[in-house]
Amino acid sequence: MDKRPVVVCFGDSLTAGYGTDLGQSYPDYLQKDLNAEGYNYRVVNEGISGNTTKDGVNRLDSILALKPAVVVVEFGGNDGLRGLRIDDSRTNMDKIVGTLKASGTKVVLAGITLPPDYGPDYIKQFNDTYAMLATKYRVPLLPFLLNGVFGVDGMMQADKTHATSKGNEVVARNVLPLLLPLLKK
């Protein structure tokens, strides 16, 4: 039985590592980075492709059952791509972050954005959701999970939505600086 404290990466296909080989998701690389830095934590990948914020709310009990020290929350992309109401996504994200925080779990919030064809108003409201929640719950925010990955040769799969294995290595390095201050060596 692994007794190390748990870091849960909780999200959709970007967390799951969609389209990459086993062991090449950003949570896999995050585990390697934590090990290399001398942090004794177990990273658990709770990413499910296609999940919306509503699915995240429905999965909260199973996440809390893992008794995580920290949860990296990455949801919203599927809501946005499906054009779901921003208010509904915000309510769901608020419930996810609020429930985790109320349980005593530390949270890191990872944002995502949408392609420009969704229109500037919708995109701005969508992006603002992450900043609002980070402020409300005083949690660290990575505004764009795919920073340094999106639009970079070799970092994105042909679908222009999901990171490659190389891209996931960068995503893990994006998450790491927000996570480390919440961990004990």
Side-chain angles (χ1 to χ4, degrees):
M1 180 88 184
D2 194 328
K3 298 277 192 216
R4 292 177 295 173
V6 173
V7 172
V8 174
C9 297
F10 183 35
D12 55 33
S13 58
L14 297 177
T15 296
Y18 174 86
T20 60
D21 290 336
L22 196 62
Q24 296 182 342
S25 68
Y26 98 75
D28 292 311
Y29 291 112
L30 192 59
Q31 180 72 70
K32 290 176 184 156
D33 292 344
L34 288 174
N35 294 349
E37 297 271 345
Y39 287 87
N40 194 26
Y41 285 78
R42 180 170 58 102
V43 178
V44 176
N45 187 338
E46 285 291 332
I48 297 181
S49 295
N51 264 197
T52 62
T53 57
K54 185 173 189 281
D55 296 314
V57 169
N58 294 337
R59 291 172 52 209
L60 274 168
D61 287 345
S62 67
I63 301 305
L64 291 170
L66 297 169
K67 302 201 180 338
V70 184
V71 177
V72 180
V73 175
E74 173 275 312
F75 279 104
N78 291 312
D79 295 49
L81 292 173
R82 294 173 191 173
L84 302 181
R85 288 187 49 228
I86 299 284
D87 287 347
D88 294 343
S89 298
R90 277 187 186 160
T91 299
N92 292 335
M93 286 294 289
D94 190 280
K95 183 152 178 69
I96 291 168
V97 177
T99 301
L100 291 169
K101 286 282 290 190
S103 78
T105 298
K106 295 174 183 157
V107 174
V108 171
L109 192 55
I112 194 72
T113 192
L114 298 170
D117 50 334
Y118 280 77
D121 293 344
Y122 186 78
I123 293 171
K124 180 178 180 348
Q125 289 179 51
F126 180 88
N127 293 347
D128 286 351
T129 299
Y130 300 103
M132 288 166 44
L133 289 170
T135 301
K136 177 177 177 177
Y137 290 104
R138 295 194 176 111
V139 298
L141 170 65
L142 175 60
F144 185 44
L145 184 74
L146 297 174
N147 190 39
V149 175
F150 188 79
V152 178
D153 277 352
M155 296 289 178
M156 295 295 290
Q157 295 177 39
D159 67 7
K160 295 184 172 69
T161 302
H162 300 96
T164 60
S165 173
K166 263 191 167 73
N168 281 327
E169 286 184 68
V170 174
V171 171
R173 288 197 300 271
N174 289 342
V175 171
L176 192 65
L178 282 82
L179 186 59
L180 291 182
L182 306 178
L183 305 179
K184 294 184 178 88
K185 243 188 176 158

